[in-house]
């Protein structure tokens, strides 16, 4: 941002089309931080009532004065439209005036405001803020306040501010529309959703206000597939603690490449996973859990969760993929035919009648839809930014590999295909291939046998 050391007076003159009156927009900038722009008639106050050839008397439109507390701000009067209502049935229209002023509209704090004053209070002010990088409307407000806020997140914004004097009883009605390009350049910082996490939960790490020449860095040993995903000036990454993530304290370093890194300690707390005693039908086990089924699973299923779309496909909240009763919790530690194993159940088992509908928990791309010996009819959805959902044992599938599916869209029918002893959905959610308790995304806490009735019906 450049400091202006001398007074600068720029006058943009626009001509009122019918009345032939000159209007001026003046910018007065000084080094004491004030930038004042005024839009006012060039006529002196006693001349602010003017006439046209028919000797109809028009009152001058109101004037608006902008002020900012940062240097070098400039905006443009895009249009004005005035209708003079003098009771004679006639009106006077002025429109199409445009002026513009070049400036480096960069500000470095978000506690700034844009304020106005007027000689006649407008009936309303409508301001819309567009993100110029994504070309989307991010804020639209109507106000009668004489100040409007600066956006609190870094961005390249365009403010479109319309002042309306539109009450019917006025002698004139009309509007001014101004545009104000504004680059909000804020200090970058990191945020951790939590510093202590139970097995089955995850930590969200966000770096805000990251400029194009900055590279965010996170060094940690909790999760080897950790990755930060860029979205505008924000980076997001997820650090899941799985059932195999050891409890204890982990040192983490974070910051920006080429700068000194900061340190933080993360704690992984144990989760008291339930124990499941499973008595397996030997014939079924032999048919579905063998070298061939493992090789097939490793070949087709495993790689689908090694890479993910850079942008999030998912939005809003997540929906239940099926209703029913919870037969196995996330992480349950299995005793098979009386013997302990290191196996943990990778998701939720939701039991219901055969051919019950199964829905996509959120928007995403189907990256696998096929029959596998071990998991039966199987679907994997990539929700982007490392988040996946997995659906096993379906009687039949609807969604095909490559399909984009919407949140809540039916993707298949419940069944008992593969290594399964009754009609149910096995539902897994994961960041890449580290499985988490889906409850954290669906309802904000683990879904257990104690609360399943509340959540799964
Ligand atoms: Zn299961």
């Amino acid at each position: 941002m450049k400091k202006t050391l001398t007074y600068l007076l720029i006058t943009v003159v626009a001509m009122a089309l019918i009345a032939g009156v000159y209007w001026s927009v003046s910018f007065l900038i000084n080094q004491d931080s004030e930038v004042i722009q005024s839009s006012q008639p060039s006529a002196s106050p006693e001349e602010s009532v003017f006439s046209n050839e028919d000797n109809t008397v028009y009152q001058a439109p109101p004037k608006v004065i902008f002020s900012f507390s940062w240097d070098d701000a400039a905006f443009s009067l895009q249009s004005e439209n005035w209708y003079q209502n003098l009771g004679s049935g006639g009106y006077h229209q002025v429109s199409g005036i445009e002026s513009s002023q070049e400036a480096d509209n960069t500000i470095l704090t978000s506690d700034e405001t844009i304020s106005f004053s007027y000689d006649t209070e407008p009936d309303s002010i409508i301001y819309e803020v567009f993100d110029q990088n994504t070309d989307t409307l991010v804020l639209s407000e109507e106000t009668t306040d004489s100040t409007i806020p600066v956006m609190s997140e870094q961005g390249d914004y365009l403010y479109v501010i319309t002042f309306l004097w539109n009450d019917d009883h006025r002698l004139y009605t009309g509007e001014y529309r101004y545009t104000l390009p504004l680059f909000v350049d804020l200090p970058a910082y990191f945020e951790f959703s939590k510093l202590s996490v139970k097995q089955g939960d995850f930590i969200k790490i966000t770096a805000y206000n990251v400029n194009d020449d900055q590279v965010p860095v996170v060094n940690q040993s909790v999760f080897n597939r950790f990755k930060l995903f860029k979205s505008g000036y924000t980076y997001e990454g997820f650090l899941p603690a799985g059932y195999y993530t050891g409890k204890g304290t982990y040192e983490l370093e974070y910051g920006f490449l080429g700068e000194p890194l900061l340190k933080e300690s993360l704690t992984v707390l144990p989760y008291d996973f339930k124990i499941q005693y499973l008595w397996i039908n030997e014939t079924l086990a032999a048919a579905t859990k063998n070298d061939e089924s493992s090789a097939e699973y490793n070949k087709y299923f495993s790689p689908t969760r090694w890479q993910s779309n850079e942008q999030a496909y998912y939005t809003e909240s997540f929906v239940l993929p099926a209703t029913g009763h919870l037969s196995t919790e996330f992480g349950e530690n299995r005793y098979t035919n009386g013997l302990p194993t290191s196996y943990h159940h990778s998701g939720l088992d939701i039991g219901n009648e055969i051919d019950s509908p199964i829905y996509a928990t959120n928007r995403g791309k189907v990256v696998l839809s096929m029959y596998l010996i071990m998991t039966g009819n199987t679907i994997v959805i990539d929700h982007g930014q490392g988040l996946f959902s997995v659906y096993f044992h379906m009687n039949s599938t609807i969604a095909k590999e490559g399909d984009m599916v919407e949140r809540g869209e039916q993707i298949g029918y419940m069944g008992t295909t593969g290594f399964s002893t009754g009609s149910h959905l096995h539902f897994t959610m994961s960041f890449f291939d580290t499985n988490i308790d889906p409850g954290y995304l669906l309802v904000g806490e683990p879904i257990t046998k104690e609360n399943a009735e509340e959540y799964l019906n």
Side-chain angles (χ1 to χ4, degrees), residues 202-203 223 225-230 236-240 303-314 318 363-365 367 380-390 428-436 441:
F202 63 93
I203 297 172
F223 179 45
R225 290 194 194 276
F226 179 79
K227 188 175 172 185
L228 286 165
F229 295 94
K230 184 180 194 296
E236 276 181 356
F238 300 90
L239 208 55
T304 60
R305 300 192 299 167
W306 292 347
Q307 54 194 17
S308 179
N309 196 58
E310 292 284 317
Q311 257 72 52
Y313 291 126
Y314 62 94
F318 292 79
R363 186 163 184 270
K365 186 174 188 176
V367 290
V380 180
I381 299 175
D382 176 11
H383 299 289
Q385 298 193 340
L387 180 65
F388 292 86
S389 62
V390 175
T428 291
M429 293 197 79
S430 65
F431 286 105
F432 293 105
D433 52 2
T434 293
N435 305 318
I436 58 165
L441 289 164

Side-chain angles (χ1 to χ4, degrees), residues 276 327-329 334 343 345-350 392-393 419 424-428:
Q276 181 186 44
S327 54
T328 314
E329 290 182 8
R334 218 167 247 180
Y343 174 88
H345 188 242
S346 65
L348 302 173
D349 281 348
I350 304 169
F392 288 162
H393 310 306
F419 179 66
H424 79 288
L425 170 70
H426 173 101
F427 175 58
T428 291

Side-chain angles (χ1 to χ4, degrees), residues 104-108 132-133 154-158 180-186 211 233:
D104 175 15
N105 283 355
T106 298
I107 66 157
L108 297 168
Q132 301 212 81
N133 287 325
Q154 175 151 326
D156 200 358
Y157 300 109
L158 181 73
L180 172 67
L182 197 60
F183 181 64
V184 179
D185 186 5
L186 302 176
N211 282 328
Y233 298 104

Side-chain angles (χ1 to χ4, degrees), residues 259-388:
E259 296 173 19
L261 298 179
L262 301 168
K263 290 187 197 306
E264 196 58 84
S265 293
L266 304 182
T267 306
V268 174
L269 302 168
Y271 184 86
D272 193 12
F273 295 113
K274 291 196 174 72
I275 292 172
Q276 181 186 44
Y277 296 93
L278 193 70
W279 301 92
I280 293 179
N281 174 318
E282 298 290 353
T283 312
L284 174 72
T288 58
K289 283 204 163 174
N290 50 47
D291 289 349
E292 187 197 355
S293 71
S294 293
E296 185 195 53
Y297 182 85
N298 292 336
K299 180 178 178 185
Y300 293 105
F301 175 83
S302 299
T304 60
R305 300 192 299 167
W306 292 347
Q307 54 194 17
S308 179
N309 196 58
E310 292 284 317
Q311 257 72 52
Y313 291 126
Y314 62 94
T315 53
E316 305 170 46
S317 56
F318 292 79
V319 297
L320 270 185
T323 56
H325 68 275
L326 183 68
S327 54
T328 314
E329 290 182 8
F330 171 80
E332 278 194 40
N333 192 200
R334 218 167 247 180
Y335 272 61
T336 303
N337 293 344
L339 297 171
T341 70
S342 64
Y343 174 88
H344 283 273
H345 188 242
S346 65
L348 302 173
D349 281 348
I350 304 169
N352 209 330
E353 287 177 16
I354 204 143
D355 284 335
S356 300
I358 291 170
Y359 307 104
T361 186
N362 211 314
R363 186 163 184 270
K365 186 174 188 176
V366 177
V367 290
L368 186 75
S369 178
M370 72 182 293
Y371 185 89
L372 295 171
I373 300 165
M374 197 186 315
T375 57
N377 283 311
T378 298
I379 282 179
V380 180
I381 299 175
D382 176 11
H383 299 289
Q385 298 193 340
L387 180 65
F388 292 86

